[in-house]
Amino acid sequence: MVKKILKNYLTDIHEVFSRGDAREESFYTALEKMIDEMAPQCGKTKVNITVLPKKTEGGNPDFRVWDGKSKITGYIEAKKPDTDLDDVENSEQLKRYRETFPNLILTNFLEFRFYRDGQLMDSTFIGRKHTLLKIGAKPSLENEEKLKDILDQYFSFTFPGDLNARRLAKELAKRTRFLRDQVVIEELKEQPDESTNYILGFYEAFQKYLIYGLTKEGFADLYSQTITYGLFAARTRCTGEFHRKNAVDYIPQTIGILHDVFEYISIGRPSKHLECIIDDITEVLDSVDVNLILDEFFRHGKGEDPIIHFYETFLSEYDPEIREKRGVYYTPEPVVSFIVHSIDSILKEHFNRPDGLADINVRILDPASGTMTFIAEAAKTAMKGYIEKYGEGVKDDFVRSHLLKNFYAFELMMAPYAIGHLKMSYILEEMGTPLMNDERFKLYLTNTLEFEDIEQTHFPGMASLSEESHQAGIIKKETPILVILGNPPYSGISQNKGDWITEQIEKYKIVDGTHFGERKHWLQDDYVKFIRFSQWKIDECGEGVL
């Protein structure tokens, strides 16, 4: 049977070649048919072969072999029959594919090279290139058993489920890089159509309303990280089979902007290239118990913050330079603990709040929350103090009447925002008071230093972004805040140049009615601007701790 399938395949290849005008894509149907017929011969009874549209030399390989639902066997990259595969093997394109996809075949329709985890495992040819190209005849079938062996190995692939945290981070990181560099960036370069205008609209909305000066490359980075860590968050909630199409079911609707992102990739109409790499990421996540990995971090010397430590591990694999640049998100835990416990003591000693952070009348805000390190520590400190004083029986009411009501956070970048929500839900579960379906922590995606509400427009996700802006605006303008804490970003040349914060900084320059003559840019540092916002907020309240 194998011999018959492969002889018929060579006949099909010869017929296509004989037309004289065959492009690479002209041979796809023959290869697709051969792979489909060979799959049962290799023990793979259920197979679906998707030919991926060829946009650029980037993107995904030409074929995805999968079960049609969520389980991916592997990928195939095809080149014209006259292609020297030695040249392709050393190309940047194939290096990317070998690095990203653990089960890959490279072929020129006559020669087949099989790669596992980036390494060339085996190769063979089933017909002579010279016979087809120079003589114009149908090649004689050779090495059919060798190709059968290669396809046996190819079809037997399953993703290993015993990954530790470092290996999982590495697998997620290389796919996220591919998503960023070969899919999102390419889609942002194209003329918008039905499959790309959603991502382009998201980029334009973020650039216009949240992050001034945001480049397409910068957006591709934040979007790709958000997808991966959002999927990671969804996977922690899923107890059954996990895949792209059900990921949105595990993102609470109360977190509107994240829900919109995942509604698009789960039940919208993303491009085939976007579908494929996200399917690949979800399969990696489906193969492991991510909660076990988080527990591993929690138990074995990584500190008390498994969500953040896994994100740091992921970032170190994804892009070490980004991890370095964004070290602002990761204030050391002893420093955070010292600041939080100092505030708790100050509230008790100087503000007549005997319950400290647990006092029901204390409102607390982190205006640049990153991944919620400070607010999480404050919540745990408040809960511990309250239980010690009033007993275990009151903690459920305490969470809903105080932590979910009076603890606030703002964040500008979507990936830390996603992580922050995951982290707080994880902490509340540890406390024995998990969030209900209609609940969320009051962490909002907003530019703290911008006071204008975002109006709804035609941009994708704007309803949710506008609602986040509105809720954050109420806290900024109307809600008295007693405690402001955190570690805002340092940025000497700030992009935050809105009217409100510019006016507030100008007021800094007046001392006893006289401008003190500051000419340099140091007062334009984001850190200074966040302190100015916080000082103004406490002035409005009449008292407070910063």
Side-chain angles (χ1 to χ4, degrees), residues 453-491:
D453 274 4
I454 296 174
E455 295 183 6
Q456 291 193 28
T457 69
H458 66 282
F459 290 129
M462 282 309 298
S464 297
L465 201 55
S466 176
E467 179 61 20
E468 293 271 308
S469 167
H470 176 68
Q471 294 300 328
I474 292 172
I475 299 162
K476 292 177 197 177
K477 301 169 193 173
E478 302 173 19
T479 307
I481 301 292
L482 188 65
V483 174
I484 300 182
L485 81 173
N487 185 9
Y490 293 81
S491 178

Tab-separated table of all heavy atoms in Angstrom, residues 453-491:
chain	number	residue	atom	x	y	z
A	453	ASP	N	-11.348	61.019	30.038
A	453	ASP	CA	-11.950	59.720	29.781
A	453	ASP	C	-11.793	59.355	28.308
A	453	ASP	O	-11.831	60.228	27.428
A	453	ASP	CB	-13.452	59.734	30.117
A	453	ASP	CG	-13.705	59.445	31.591
A	453	ASP	OD1	-12.724	59.307	32.337
A	453	ASP	OD2	-14.884	59.379	31.985
A	454	ILE	N	-11.617	58.068	28.053
A	454	ILE	CA	-11.560	57.585	26.674
A	454	ILE	C	-12.989	57.413	26.166
A	454	ILE	O	-13.796	56.697	26.767
A	454	ILE	CB	-10.817	56.232	26.597
A	454	ILE	CG1	-9.356	56.410	27.013
A	454	ILE	CG2	-10.906	55.652	25.194
A	454	ILE	CD1	-8.588	55.100	27.095
A	455	GLU	N	-13.293	58.069	25.066
A	455	GLU	CA	-14.619	57.919	24.483
A	455	GLU	C	-14.655	56.693	23.579
A	455	GLU	O	-13.640	56.293	23.013
A	455	GLU	CB	-14.979	59.170	23.674
A	455	GLU	CG	-15.111	60.428	24.528
A	455	GLU	CD	-15.546	61.617	23.710
A	455	GLU	OE1	-15.857	61.430	22.516
A	455	GLU	OE2	-15.583	62.724	24.275
A	456	GLN	N	-15.851	56.110	23.444
A	456	GLN	CA	-15.986	54.951	22.575
A	456	GLN	C	-15.846	55.381	21.124
A	456	GLN	O	-16.361	56.404	20.709
A	456	GLN	CB	-17.330	54.269	22.802
A	456	GLN	CG	-17.440	53.595	24.156
A	456	GLN	CD	-18.627	52.672	24.249
A	456	GLN	OE1	-19.066	52.121	23.254
A	456	GLN	NE2	-19.148	52.493	25.451
A	457	THR	N	-15.103	54.577	20.359
A	457	THR	CA	-14.913	54.846	18.932
A	457	THR	C	-15.097	53.536	18.174
A	457	THR	O	-15.506	52.524	18.753
A	457	THR	CB	-13.488	55.378	18.656
A	457	THR	OG1	-12.545	54.314	18.869
A	457	THR	CG2	-13.153	56.553	19.558
A	458	HIS	N	-14.745	53.559	16.892
A	458	HIS	CA	-14.876	52.362	16.064
A	458	HIS	C	-13.773	51.343	16.346
A	458	HIS	O	-13.841	50.212	15.873
A	458	HIS	CB	-14.819	52.741	14.585
A	458	HIS	CG	-13.488	53.286	14.174
A	458	HIS	ND1	-13.098	54.585	14.451
A	458	HIS	CD2	-12.432	52.715	13.531
A	458	HIS	CE1	-11.878	54.786	13.987
A	458	HIS	NE2	-11.440	53.674	13.432
A	459	PHE	N	-12.738	51.697	17.114
A	459	PHE	CA	-11.622	50.787	17.333
A	459	PHE	C	-12.081	49.535	18.082
A	459	PHE	O	-12.928	49.604	18.979
A	459	PHE	CB	-10.522	51.459	18.152
A	459	PHE	CG	-9.782	52.544	17.426
A	459	PHE	CD1	-9.628	53.796	18.011
A	459	PHE	CD2	-9.236	52.321	16.171
A	459	PHE	CE1	-8.941	54.803	17.353
A	459	PHE	CE2	-8.555	53.324	15.514
A	459	PHE	CZ	-8.405	54.573	16.095
A	460	PRO	N	-11.497	48.360	17.740
A	460	PRO	CA	-11.829	47.131	18.464
A	460	PRO	C	-11.524	47.263	19.955
A	460	PRO	O	-10.526	47.858	20.349
A	460	PRO	CB	-10.912	46.073	17.822
A	460	PRO	CG	-10.563	46.631	16.487
A	460	PRO	CD	-10.540	48.116	16.643
A	461	GLY	N	-12.395	46.683	20.781
A	461	GLY	CA	-12.165	46.665	22.217
A	461	GLY	C	-12.390	47.993	22.910
A	461	GLY	O	-12.158	48.120	24.111
A	462	MET	N	-12.869	49.014	22.162
A	462	MET	CA	-12.954	50.342	22.757
A	462	MET	C	-14.043	50.440	23.827
A	462	MET	O	-13.939	51.251	24.741
A	462	MET	CB	-13.181	51.390	21.673
A	462	MET	CG	-11.923	51.739	20.913
A	462	MET	SD	-10.517	52.176	21.977
A	462	MET	CE	-11.152	53.626	22.790
A	463	ALA	N	-15.091	49.651	23.718
A	463	ALA	CA	-16.136	49.687	24.753
A	463	ALA	C	-15.526	49.306	26.094
A	463	ALA	O	-15.744	49.979	27.109
A	463	ALA	CB	-17.280	48.747	24.392
A	464	SER	N	-14.727	48.247	26.103
A	464	SER	CA	-14.093	47.795	27.347
A	464	SER	C	-13.026	48.771	27.810
A	464	SER	O	-12.913	49.070	28.997
A	464	SER	CB	-13.476	46.410	27.148
A	464	SER	OG	-14.465	45.465	26.841
A	465	LEU	N	-12.225	49.268	26.870
A	465	LEU	CA	-11.174	50.216	27.216
A	465	LEU	C	-11.782	51.504	27.767
A	465	LEU	O	-11.278	52.094	28.733
A	465	LEU	CB	-10.325	50.514	25.984
A	465	LEU	CG	-8.915	51.075	26.204
A	465	LEU	CD1	-8.107	50.168	27.104
A	465	LEU	CD2	-8.216	51.275	24.868
A	466	SER	N	-12.891	51.927	27.175
A	466	SER	CA	-13.582	53.127	27.631
A	466	SER	C	-14.141	52.928	29.031
A	466	SER	O	-14.063	53.820	29.886
A	466	SER	CB	-14.709	53.477	26.649
A	466	SER	OG	-15.447	54.579	27.096
A	467	GLU	N	-14.696	51.744	29.301
A	467	GLU	CA	-15.248	51.458	30.634
A	467	GLU	C	-14.133	51.423	31.676
A	467	GLU	O	-14.295	51.945	32.789
A	467	GLU	CB	-15.998	50.122	30.602
A	467	GLU	CG	-16.598	49.699	31.937
A	467	GLU	CD	-17.630	50.669	32.494
A	467	GLU	OE1	-18.182	51.476	31.718
A	467	GLU	OE2	-17.880	50.631	33.715
A	468	GLU	N	-12.990	50.818	31.329
A	468	GLU	CA	-11.846	50.818	32.245
A	468	GLU	C	-11.430	52.258	32.563
A	468	GLU	O	-11.171	52.616	33.708
A	468	GLU	CB	-10.656	50.081	31.609
A	468	GLU	CG	-10.848	48.599	31.412
A	468	GLU	CD	-10.417	47.775	32.608
A	468	GLU	OE1	-9.295	47.933	33.101
A	468	GLU	OE2	-11.233	46.949	33.058
A	469	SER	N	-11.360	53.080	31.507
A	469	SER	CA	-10.971	54.477	31.672
A	469	SER	C	-11.964	55.215	32.572
A	469	SER	O	-11.566	56.009	33.434
A	469	SER	CB	-10.902	55.151	30.294
A	469	SER	OG	-10.813	56.553	30.410
A	470	HIS	N	-13.243	54.952	32.367
A	470	HIS	CA	-14.279	55.639	33.163
A	470	HIS	C	-14.180	55.261	34.635
A	470	HIS	O	-14.219	56.134	35.521
A	470	HIS	CB	-15.658	55.276	32.607
A	470	HIS	CG	-16.794	55.835	33.406
A	470	HIS	ND1	-17.063	57.192	33.482
A	470	HIS	CD2	-17.724	55.210	34.191
A	470	HIS	CE1	-18.108	57.390	34.277
A	470	HIS	NE2	-18.521	56.205	34.715
A	471	GLN	N	-14.049	53.964	34.916
A	471	GLN	CA	-13.954	53.512	36.313
A	471	GLN	C	-12.687	54.047	36.977
A	471	GLN	O	-12.701	54.468	38.133
A	471	GLN	CB	-13.975	51.980	36.369
A	471	GLN	CG	-15.276	51.347	35.921
A	471	GLN	CD	-16.459	51.774	36.764
A	471	GLN	OE1	-16.334	52.040	37.967
A	471	GLN	NE2	-17.632	51.855	36.138
A	472	ALA	N	-11.567	54.035	36.229
A	472	ALA	CA	-10.323	54.581	36.773
A	472	ALA	C	-10.461	56.080	37.000
A	472	ALA	O	-9.941	56.628	37.982
A	472	ALA	CB	-9.165	54.288	35.823
A	473	GLY	N	-11.186	56.764	36.094
A	473	GLY	CA	-11.386	58.202	36.221
A	473	GLY	C	-12.119	58.584	37.482
A	473	GLY	O	-11.814	59.611	38.120
A	474	ILE	N	-13.082	57.788	37.881
A	474	ILE	CA	-13.817	58.050	39.123
A	474	ILE	C	-12.868	58.009	40.316
A	474	ILE	O	-12.924	58.848	41.220
A	474	ILE	CB	-14.961	57.019	39.298
A	474	ILE	CG1	-16.037	57.238	38.226
A	474	ILE	CG2	-15.567	57.102	40.698
A	474	ILE	CD1	-17.107	56.167	38.198
A	475	ILE	N	-11.955	57.029	40.294
A	475	ILE	CA	-10.985	56.901	41.397
A	475	ILE	C	-10.018	58.089	41.369
A	475	ILE	O	-9.723	58.682	42.406
A	475	ILE	CB	-10.219	55.570	41.290
A	475	ILE	CG1	-11.199	54.398	41.375
A	475	ILE	CG2	-9.160	55.453	42.377
A	475	ILE	CD1	-10.653	53.091	40.855
A	476	LYS	N	-9.538	58.439	40.167
A	476	LYS	CA	-8.589	59.550	40.058
A	476	LYS	C	-9.206	60.862	40.543
A	476	LYS	O	-8.589	61.615	41.310
A	476	LYS	CB	-8.135	59.728	38.600
A	476	LYS	CG	-7.275	58.623	38.031
A	476	LYS	CD	-6.976	58.920	36.552
A	476	LYS	CE	-6.478	57.699	35.824
A	476	LYS	NZ	-6.262	57.949	34.398
A	477	LYS	N	-10.418	61.156	40.097
A	477	LYS	CA	-10.991	62.490	40.289
A	477	LYS	C	-11.855	62.623	41.535
A	477	LYS	O	-11.965	63.717	42.101
A	477	LYS	CB	-11.830	62.857	39.064
A	477	LYS	CG	-11.073	62.867	37.754
A	477	LYS	CD	-12.049	62.974	36.584
A	477	LYS	CE	-11.370	62.663	35.257
A	477	LYS	NZ	-12.328	62.606	34.143
A	478	GLU	N	-12.493	61.528	41.957
A	478	GLU	CA	-13.544	61.655	42.973
A	478	GLU	C	-13.305	60.873	44.254
A	478	GLU	O	-13.798	61.269	45.317
A	478	GLU	CB	-14.901	61.212	42.379
A	478	GLU	CG	-15.323	61.983	41.145
A	478	GLU	CD	-16.580	61.396	40.511
A	478	GLU	OE1	-17.303	60.649	41.207
A	478	GLU	OE2	-16.831	61.676	39.314
A	479	THR	N	-12.571	59.759	44.187
A	479	THR	CA	-12.487	58.856	45.337
A	479	THR	C	-11.370	59.282	46.285
A	479	THR	O	-10.204	59.355	45.874
A	479	THR	CB	-12.235	57.408	44.864
A	479	THR	OG1	-13.224	57.048	43.896
A	479	THR	CG2	-12.283	56.440	46.030
A	480	PRO	N	-11.677	59.570	47.564
A	480	PRO	CA	-10.610	59.902	48.528
A	480	PRO	C	-9.721	58.677	48.764
A	480	PRO	O	-10.218	57.571	48.991
A	480	PRO	CB	-11.385	60.268	49.801
A	480	PRO	CG	-12.798	60.466	49.371
A	480	PRO	CD	-13.018	59.604	48.177
A	481	ILE	N	-8.428	58.872	48.695
A	481	ILE	CA	-7.457	57.793	48.896
A	481	ILE	C	-6.561	58.166	50.068
A	481	ILE	O	-5.953	59.242	50.078
A	481	ILE	CB	-6.594	57.573	47.646
A	481	ILE	CG1	-7.466	57.215	46.426
A	481	ILE	CG2	-5.544	56.489	47.885
A	481	ILE	CD1	-8.146	55.871	46.495
A	482	LEU	N	-6.452	57.271	51.050
A	482	LEU	CA	-5.637	57.548	52.230
A	482	LEU	C	-4.197	57.065	52.061
A	482	LEU	O	-3.268	57.671	52.590
A	482	LEU	CB	-6.265	56.881	53.467
A	482	LEU	CG	-5.637	57.242	54.809
A	482	LEU	CD1	-5.855	58.722	55.119
A	482	LEU	CD2	-6.191	56.356	55.922
A	483	VAL	N	-4.004	55.963	51.333
A	483	VAL	CA	-2.670	55.368	51.179
A	483	VAL	C	-2.346	55.206	49.700
A	483	VAL	O	-3.123	54.616	48.954
A	483	VAL	CB	-2.586	53.989	51.872
A	483	VAL	CG1	-1.233	53.330	51.580
A	483	VAL	CG2	-2.813	54.110	53.360
A	484	ILE	N	-1.200	55.726	49.292
A	484	ILE	CA	-0.690	55.486	47.938
A	484	ILE	C	0.706	54.892	48.072
A	484	ILE	O	1.557	55.436	48.774
A	484	ILE	CB	-0.654	56.782	47.106
A	484	ILE	CG1	-2.069	57.365	46.984
A	484	ILE	CG2	-0.075	56.508	45.721
A	484	ILE	CD1	-2.165	58.628	46.152
A	485	LEU	N	0.920	53.774	47.415
A	485	LEU	CA	2.216	53.087	47.532
A	485	LEU	C	2.576	52.477	46.192
A	485	LEU	O	1.765	52.433	45.274
A	485	LEU	CB	2.165	52.013	48.620
A	485	LEU	CG	1.551	50.636	48.288
A	485	LEU	CD1	1.748	49.683	49.439
A	485	LEU	CD2	0.100	50.721	47.895
A	486	GLY	N	3.808	52.006	46.082
A	486	GLY	CA	4.231	51.349	44.854
A	486	GLY	C	5.632	51.761	44.457
A	486	GLY	O	6.357	52.391	45.214
A	487	ASN	N	6.008	51.406	43.252
A	487	ASN	CA	7.325	51.745	42.711
A	487	ASN	C	7.153	52.091	41.237
A	487	ASN	O	7.308	51.248	40.367
A	487	ASN	CB	8.280	50.566	42.874
A	487	ASN	CG	9.689	50.911	42.427
A	487	ASN	OD1	9.998	52.056	42.143
A	487	ASN	ND2	10.540	49.899	42.346
A	488	PRO	N	6.792	53.360	40.951
A	488	PRO	CA	6.518	53.756	39.562
A	488	PRO	C	7.766	53.671	38.690
A	488	PRO	O	8.885	53.607	39.190
A	488	PRO	CB	6.052	55.213	39.695
A	488	PRO	CG	5.685	55.384	41.129
A	488	PRO	CD	6.564	54.461	41.892
A	489	PRO	N	7.576	53.702	37.375
A	489	PRO	CA	8.720	53.574	36.457
A	489	PRO	C	9.578	54.831	36.432
A	489	PRO	O	9.095	55.946	36.606
A	489	PRO	CB	8.052	53.364	35.094
A	489	PRO	CG	6.710	53.993	35.229
A	489	PRO	CD	6.300	53.766	36.646
A	490	TYR	N	10.855	54.632	36.220
A	490	TYR	CA	11.787	55.726	35.962
A	490	TYR	C	11.859	55.910	34.446
A	490	TYR	O	12.090	54.950	33.726
A	490	TYR	CB	13.185	55.397	36.469
A	490	TYR	CG	13.316	55.294	37.963
A	490	TYR	CD1	12.950	54.134	38.651
A	490	TYR	CD2	13.821	56.360	38.699
A	490	TYR	CE1	13.081	54.039	40.024
A	490	TYR	CE2	13.962	56.272	40.077
A	490	TYR	CZ	13.594	55.106	40.731
A	490	TYR	OH	13.729	55.017	42.081
A	491	SER	N	11.674	57.125	33.979
A	491	SER	CA	11.849	57.430	32.561
A	491	SER	C	12.170	58.904	32.442
A	491	SER	O	11.290	59.753	32.552
A	491	SER	CB	10.586	57.091	31.763
A	491	SER	OG	10.754	57.423	30.408
